[in-house]
């Protein structure tokens, strides 16, 4: 046992005295020690129930012969952090979570791990840690929120943000907005659409790191407690069979996850997190991989904000495994990949059934023959940019319009809500990338303001920042290279014509090469917005959005 390094022999007698202080019995000292990474806190709705999940995991581990030991991970609620300096601190927690979990696991020599995340950066951060540590590891999340109901329709957090835009446009009253406030988020859990948290939790199943239903069983269902107990059983079975995280998280598994991502219509943030996870296993994931996979992968689901269905509906329709079965039947998945069940993907999904073809379209009748995400390149984004094309209205798939340039998110929101953005415009928000932000803020406020103002089918938004999974419309993020390093987005001037062609994967600034070169020669780097604390260190080490915003030591 790995934990013997901390417990066995005369040399470790002092450590045993400390385990004795913890209440460990002599019998427990001889059993595998399983770390349970708890993301419980009292500020994130998706994490307020995780104490119950952790208790169930502990019971499962103990029943299966292990010794459960709980330690914490931090979490930020993107919805609460949105629209102010707090959003600079969201993406950056992904690496803090990975680093701190690595520190705890290696310092105390755990034999196996159960990760209990839920919201946006917890899941990828803990997947990164799992890949680094290469221990037997199972993921079990806190589960999604149930959809809210307003005016007889299902609603979710994206509806709330758009209601604020409608109020600014004069089409909703303050009383209308308060009705949304009271009803769109009715339970604990990760917000109920296919936003980033639910995207990544679903992808744990596609990667093979989560049990069936991990991404879809609602937080308030007792089935979630049963799943947590089963995760405890599963990790002990993995330990006894010698199955570790890197045997599951292979290049082929990550490409499976990208394929499932396309079918589900996941958040654009998955194109930050999958490269970062791949980086931990030594797989140099180019976001351009998305396009050939997207071109052959049908989009089978239109969950909110792309459509009227929610995570609870996906769960009832058969969940992620039913989607995977549809894809496997036409040869789009590597079914030989190992999973936390001790079985292959193919063995797991053999009997999965699509129970509702209005929620999970069959491959013979998809929402579109291409996947939910696309990577656009051109002279405005030489290293790529990302759009959730499954959430773009048909009339915006090809668009040209004048650039309306803003140096930060706040200025853009003020212009949108002030009626200064009109049909046809292309809003450009720059210096919000990983380095320039720093922290690559989500742009749910401006995208929701555009939708709420009734401009969602006529106005595009382009940024070197990123988008919430709740964003919809012609929202193109992760533009790389970013403005802070002199990328072409830094050279755009007010009124320049920008051409967007999503079917052809192109994003171009209609300015001559000579003019761009002249502008580049005049460009000067800006002083960092933050010069102290963690964000200052982060912006010195973070790479571009097209590389997953992973951290590297600065080059001398």
């Amino acid at each position: 046992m790995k934990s013997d390094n901390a417990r066995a022999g005369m040399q470790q007698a002092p450590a045993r005295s400390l385990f004795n202080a913890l209440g460990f019995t002599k019998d427990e000292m001889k059993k595998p020690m399983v770390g349970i990474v708890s993301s419980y806190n009292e500020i994130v709705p998706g994490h307020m129930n995780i104490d119950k999940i952790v208790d169930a995991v502990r019971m499962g581990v103990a029943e299966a012969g292990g010794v459960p030991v709980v330690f914490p991970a931090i979490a930020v609620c993107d919805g609460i952090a949105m629209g102010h300096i707090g959003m600079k601190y969201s993406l950056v927690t992904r690496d803090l979570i990975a680093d701190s979990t690595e520190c705890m696991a290696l310092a105390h020599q755990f034999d196996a791990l159960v990760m209990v995340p839920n919201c946006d950066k917890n899941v990828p951060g803990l997947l990164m840690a799992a890949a680094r540590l290469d221990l037997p590891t199972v993921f079990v999340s806190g589960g999604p929120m149930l959809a809210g109901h307003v005016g007889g329709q299902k609603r979710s957090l994206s509806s709330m943000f758009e209601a604020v835009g409608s109020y600014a446009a004069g089409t909703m009253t303050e009383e209308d907005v308060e009705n949304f406030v009271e009803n769109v988020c009715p339970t604990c859990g990760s917000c109920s659409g296919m936003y980033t948290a639910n995207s990544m939790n679903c992808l744990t199943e596609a990667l093979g790191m989560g049990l069936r239903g991990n991404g879809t069983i609602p937080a308030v269902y007792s089935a979630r407690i049963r799943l947590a107990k089963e995760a405890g059983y599963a990790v002990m079975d993995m330990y006894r069979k010698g199955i570790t995280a890197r045997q599951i998280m292979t290049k082929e598994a990550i490409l499976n996850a990208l394929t499932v991502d396309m079918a589900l219509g996941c958040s654009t943030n998955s194109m930050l997190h999958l490269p970062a996870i791949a980086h931990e296993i030594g797989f140099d994931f180019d976001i351009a991989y998305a396009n050939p996979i997207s071109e052959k992968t049908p989009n089978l689901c239109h969950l909110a904000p792309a459509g009227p269905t929610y995570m609870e509906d996906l769960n009832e329709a058969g969940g992620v495994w039913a989607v995977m079965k549809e894809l496997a039947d036409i040869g789009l998945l590597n079914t030989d990949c190992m999973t936390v069940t001790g079985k292959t993907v193919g063995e797991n999904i053999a009997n999965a059934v699509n129970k509702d073809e209005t929620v999970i379209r069959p491959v013979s009748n998809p929402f579109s023959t291409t996947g939910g995400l696309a990577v656009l390149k051109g002279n405005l984004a030489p290293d790529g940019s990302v759009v959730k094309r499954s959430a773009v209205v048909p009339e915006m798939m090809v668009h040209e319009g004048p650039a309306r340039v803003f140096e930060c998110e706040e200025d853009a929101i003020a212009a949108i809500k002030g009626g200064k953005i009109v049909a046809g415009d292309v809003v450009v928000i720059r210096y919000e990338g990983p380095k320039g932000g720093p922290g690559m803020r989500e742009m749910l406020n401006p995208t929701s303001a555009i939708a709420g103002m009734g401009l969602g089918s006529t106005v595009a938004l382009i940024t070197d920042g990123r988008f919430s999974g709740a964003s919809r419309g012609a929202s193109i993020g992760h533009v790389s290279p970013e403005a802070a390093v002199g990328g072409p987005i830094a050279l755009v001037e007010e009124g320049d014509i920008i051409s967007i062609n999503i079917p052809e994967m192109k994003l171009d600034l209609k300015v001559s090469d000579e003019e761009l070169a002249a502008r580049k020669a005049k460009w000067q780097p800006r002083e960092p917005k933050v010069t102290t604390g963690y964000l200052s260190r982060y912006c010195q080490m973070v790479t571009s959005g097209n590389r997953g915003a992973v951290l590297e030591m600065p080059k001398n």
Side-chain angles (χ1 to χ4, degrees), residues 485-555:
V485 297
I489 192 172
L491 311 178
V492 180
E493 295 182 358
E494 187 80 6
D496 285 347
I497 299 301
I498 292 176
S499 173
I500 300 165
N501 191 319
I502 295 173
E504 294 185 8
M505 320 299 195
K506 291 181 179 179
L507 179 62
D508 287 303
L509 183 64
K510 302 195 86 173
V511 172
S512 70
D513 292 344
E514 292 77 15
E515 173 62 18
L516 281 178
R519 293 181 189 181
K520 176 70 172 178
K522 296 176 184 177
W523 179 83
Q524 293 292 324
R526 299 193 173 191
E527 289 296 317
K529 294 178 184 176
V530 180
T531 58
T532 59
Y534 179 62
L535 282 182
S536 176
R537 297 196 300 276
Y538 181 86
C539 72
Q540 293 176 49
M541 298 175 68
V542 70
T543 60
S544 178
N546 71 297
R547 296 189 56 204
V550 298
L551 301 185
E552 290 183 345
M553 292 300 292
K555 296 176 181 177

Side-chain angles (χ1 to χ4, degrees), residues 207-437:
L207 280 168
M209 293 297 291
L211 297 173
R212 184 176 191 173
N214 184 51
T216 60
I217 296 171
V220 295
Y221 283 13
S222 297
R224 175 68 51 183
I225 301 296
R226 295 196 296 273
L227 185 73
K229 292 177 184 177
E230 289 165 1
Y233 306 153
V235 80
M236 291 306 300
D237 188 53
M238 289 177 70
Y239 172 77
R240 293 186 179 100
K241 292 177 178 176
I243 300 172
T244 63
R246 282 195 208 164
Q247 293 173 33
I248 296 169
M249 297 168 70
T250 61
K251 175 180 178 180
E252 291 75 20
I254 288 171
L255 294 178
N256 273 354
L258 182 57
T259 302
V260 174
D261 182 311
M262 295 298 173
L264 286 172
C266 289
S267 164
T268 52
N269 282 315
S270 62
M271 295 305 292
L272 277 177
H273 302 321
L274 287 176
I277 295 161
H279 180 74
E280 297 293 343
I281 65 165
F283 171 26
D284 187 11
F285 182 107
D286 187 330
I287 62 169
Y289 290 151
N291 287 344
I293 288 178
S294 183
E295 285 304 291
K296 65 183 179 182
T297 305
N299 178 226
L300 305 181
C301 300
H302 264 193
L303 289 101
T309 53
Y310 294 81
M311 296 307 296
E312 62 203 63
D313 302 312
L314 179 59
N315 187 62
E316 296 301 319
V320 176
W321 282 19
V323 175
M324 293 175 70
K325 181 67 160 58
E326 292 280 353
L327 299 174
D329 284 349
I330 56 172
L332 293 181
L333 291 184
N334 185 322
T335 55
D336 294 329
C337 292
M338 179 52 63
T339 74
V340 294
T341 66
K343 298 178 181 178
T344 65
V345 166
E347 291 171 320
N348 283 343
I349 66 175
N351 297 317
V353 176
N354 182 352
K355 300 175 185 177
D356 188 341
E357 294 187 353
T358 67
V359 177
I360 304 171
R361 291 273 189 95
V363 291
S364 59
N365 181 35
F367 284 101
S368 67
T369 56
T370 53
L373 298 180
V375 172
L376 313 184
K377 290 190 175 184
N379 70 348
L380 187 51
D383 293 338
S385 61
V386 182
V387 64
K388 186 173 182 176
R389 64 176 166 189
S390 60
V392 179
V393 294
E395 54 266 42
M396 288 299 290
M397 296 296 279
V398 178
H399 179 76
E400 280 194 7
R404 304 298 308 280
V405 182
F406 301 93
E407 309 299 311
C408 66
E409 176 188 7
E410 289 82 358
D411 291 349
I413 293 170
I416 296 164
K417 291 185 176 178
K420 296 179 181 179
I421 302 301
V422 299
D425 284 347
V426 179
V427 176
V428 176
I429 305 177
R430 63 191 180 192
Y431 293 97
E432 290 285 8
K435 286 184 181 292

